[in-house]
Amino acid sequence: MAGDLMPGRCGVEEPSSTLRCAIYTRKSTDEGLQQEFNTLDAQREAAEAYIRSQLHAGWIALAERYDDGGFTGANLERPALRKLLADIEIGQIDCVLVYKVDRLSRSLLDFARLMEVFERRKVSLVSITQPLNTTGSMGRLTLNILLSFAEFERQMIADRTRDKMAAARRKGKWVGGRPVLGYDVAKAGGKLVVNTEEARQVQAIFALYLQHRSLEVVLTEIETRLWTTKRWRTRDGHEHLGRSFAKPTLVRLLRNVVYLGRVSHEGAVFAGEHEAIVEPAVWERVQEELAKEQKRRSVAAGACAQLKKNGSHRMSRTVASEPTERVPRITRLLALAQKFEELIGSGVVNNYAALAQVGRVSRSRVTQMTSLLNLAPDIQEEILFLRVDEAAQFRISEPSLRKLTATLLWNQQREQWKSLRRPAIRPEKA
């Protein structure tokens, strides 16, 4: 018999009370959804039958449908799930029924986050095909095992997808992702086509760097010309606006082999199907100059460190002419959090407790820092390329992002992020 995740809510202790039950259904693909009776209908019918069997306990099925057809369970970005969570937050639901636990989520981390919401709102969860009763240790172990197998299946699918994408890369094909300045994605997809106006900008940026041999000078010139990073629109109509260039963005552009008509995969470079927009000789010269500039910076940074070590505050003109780049503290924290996650994922350390020992910080501090990884990927990218003056202007710091990291859904995070980056309106002086 199916069990609930919280005692006293979906049991029979209070048969006289009414338990409002929402039914959530999900299917990863949209195949077959156009049929008169599809998989989502079958999941709902089974749940309704289960609810009818509990009429003596006061269970009633809500008429509202929460059906996600064609959405993966690997994340929480699903319209019906968002509606379900919103209705839970306003107190319209007492219990949620699913056909299987993995219909709700295939990720252990996401499932734990959902359970936090359910527990806070005193909402129970019932899986009608799995005998779960997590009031005891054995039930909790069973639930974790089921979710582990569901996540293992998802990872196997992801591995197969990555293998297919790797094979396509080796053949020089474009396999998706964010397009770069100078190219558009063909309307039919699967191939890059040259954007003539943007291509001229890219060629000019390469020429400017060969002329000045300084990233700072080129960044100033780009800002003067009001050039931005790639602006593009997704197939569903969502528009990504271009951003001001930062030093990491500029370096990434100058080192991108895509401009040679090639593609890279796991350190190897293959001939691409798209047209090149930068001459090989120009690209090679730029790489040489970038290496020289990086060496100059390393020498300057070493000289600064040596001067500080000796207690001297005097710097040579050569060192002063090569300032080191300042990075906002929140950018450093996010980069460190990503490094922490990489260490765990690669098996260098086993868990956060071991990580805290290696990093010589408290376990709670590691948790605070890694909570930044709950942010939407595009927000993380903006933070990594945040300039010092931007961070100061909008007061973007770890405390100001706490509310965002606690927000479950990425679309809500993005709205809060927009508000955070909106300049404050100062009252006019009399």
Side-chain angles (χ1 to χ4, degrees):
M1 185 178 95
D4 57 45
L5 292 181
M6 278 166 276
R9 296 296 298 173
C10 288
V12 295
E13 292 95 329
E14 300 174 2
S16 61
S17 62
T18 298
L19 202 71
R20 297 166 298 174
C21 300
I23 300 171
Y24 177 77
T25 66
R26 183 184 66 80
K27 186 177 187 294
S28 297
T29 66
D30 54 11
E31 182 181 355
L33 293 181
Q34 70 280 2
Q35 297 175 0
E36 185 176 350
F37 186 83
N38 55 50
T39 300
L40 300 182
D41 295 323
Q43 292 178 38
R44 183 173 182 85
E45 185 179 79
E48 289 174 340
Y50 189 88
I51 293 172
R52 285 195 297 271
S53 72
Q54 301 297 318
L55 285 177
H56 63 280
W59 292 31
I60 60 169
L62 297 176
E64 183 73 33
R65 294 185 69 103
Y66 302 94
D67 302 327
D68 275 323
F71 289 90
T72 177
N75 58 58
L76 301 178
E77 294 300 303
R78 290 169 260 157
L81 180 60
R82 288 199 296 266
K83 179 65 167 62
L84 177 72
L85 292 173
D87 289 347
I88 287 175
E89 290 290 352
I90 61 177
Q92 292 185 354
I93 296 171
D94 300 317
C95 183
V96 175
L97 283 84
V98 292
Y99 188 74
K100 287 185 178 180
V101 170
D102 64 3
R103 297 303 86 195
L104 190 63
S105 176
R106 285 182 176 268
S107 164
L108 281 170
L109 178 59
D110 286 343
F111 186 83
R113 295 168 67 187
L114 288 171
M115 288 302 97
E116 289 178 4
V117 176
F118 281 34
E119 185 174 2
R120 187 175 69 249
R121 291 296 177 181
K122 292 182 170 54
V123 172
S124 303
L125 175 68
V126 170
S127 172
I128 63 175
T129 61
Q130 295 161 324
L132 298 177
N133 186 351
T134 58
T135 58
S137 58
M138 185 59 68
R140 289 191 293 271
L141 175 62
T142 303
L143 177 63
N144 286 334
I145 291 173
L146 287 171
L147 284 171
S148 295
F149 275 106
E151 186 166 15
F152 174 74
E153 181 184 356
R154 180 183 66 82
Q155 290 174 349
M156 290 292 290
I157 295 173
D159 288 342
R160 289 195 293 270
T161 302
R162 281 193 294 269
D163 290 343
K164 291 179 181 178
M165 294 178 67
R169 281 278 189 181
R170 288 191 289 270
K171 293 180 179 179
K173 296 183 180 296
W174 173 257
V175 293
R178 183 186 295 268
V180 297
L181 189 70
Y183 292 98
D184 296 324
V185 179
K187 291 183 179 180
K191 186 177 180 180
L192 294 177
V193 293
V194 175
N195 181 311
T196 305
E197 182 180 351
E198 293 180 0
R200 283 196 290 264
Q201 290 183 14
V202 171
Q203 292 164 348
I205 290 172
F206 273 80
L208 284 169
Y209 186 73
L210 287 180
Q211 178 184 351
H212 299 289
R213 295 176 171 81
S214 168
L215 294 170
E216 284 83 2
V217 174
V218 176
L219 283 172
T220 301
E221 185 64 30
I222 289 174
E223 185 176 356
T224 301
R225 301 187 185 193
L226 302 178
W227 290 348
T228 66
T229 59
K230 179 71 177 180
R231 178 175 180 173
W232 57 290
R233 188 186 299 272
T234 62
R235 287 185 177 181
D236 58 7
H238 180 67
E239 186 171 6
H240 293 262
L241 300 178
R243 300 195 306 269
S244 300
F245 272 87
K247 189 175 294 183
T249 319
L250 177 59
V251 171
R252 189 162 60 246
L253 182 148
L254 293 172
R255 289 180 173 167
N256 200 336
V257 297
V258 166
Y259 297 122
L260 293 173
R262 303 172 185 170
V263 295
S264 63
H265 178 68
E266 295 183 349
V269 177
F270 306 94
E273 293 183 337
H274 59 281
E275 180 183 347
I277 59 178
V278 175
E279 293 292 332
V282 172
W283 194 88
E284 292 294 342
R285 286 175 57 197
V286 166
Q287 306 317 302
E288 293 173 2
E289 293 301 329
L290 282 171
K292 291 177 183 178
E293 184 173 7
Q294 183 178 7
K295 185 176 181 179
R296 291 196 300 269
R297 291 180 181 281
S298 299
V299 172
C304 289
Q306 188 63 40
L307 286 172
K308 289 180 180 179
K309 182 177 180 180
N310 295 335
S312 172
H313 299 287
R314 299 175 59 188
M315 300 178 66
S316 67
R317 292 180 181 177
T318 303
V319 173
S321 65
E322 295 290 343
T324 57
E325 183 184 12
R326 295 173 61 206
V327 178
R329 184 171 183 271
I330 187 62
T331 299
R332 297 180 187 275
L333 288 176
L334 178 57
L336 191 56
Q338 293 181 345
K339 185 63 176 178
F340 283 174
E341 203 69 17
E342 179 184 337
L343 289 173
I344 291 179
S346 60
V348 175
V349 293
N350 295 327
N351 50 50
Y352 284 164
L355 194 59
Q357 292 182 347
V358 173
R360 296 182 180 180
V361 293
S362 67
R363 173 67 176 80
S364 59
R365 183 57 183 147
V366 172
T367 301
Q368 286 180 341
M369 294 170 64
T370 53
S371 69
L372 294 171
L373 301 178
N374 290 334
L375 295 171
D378 49 330
I379 298 179
Q380 291 188 38
E381 183 178 1
E382 287 192 279
I383 292 174
L384 288 174
F385 296 132
L386 199 64
R387 297 198 305 268
V388 174
D389 58 336
E390 288 180 313
Q393 178 184 0
F394 302 112
R395 298 182 179 179
I396 298 175
S397 61
E398 188 180 6
S400 68
L401 292 176
R402 292 257 168 82
K403 185 177 180 181
L404 267 72
T405 60
T407 301
L408 196 64
L409 299 177
W410 286 350
N411 61 328
Q412 295 178 3
Q413 288 182 7
R414 292 181 180 114
E415 291 301 318
Q416 295 178 28
W417 175 249
K418 287 179 183 178
S419 299
L420 190 63
R421 298 210 61 178
R422 190 176 298 123
I425 301 176
R426 296 182 174 87
E428 296 182 0
K429 294 183 179 179

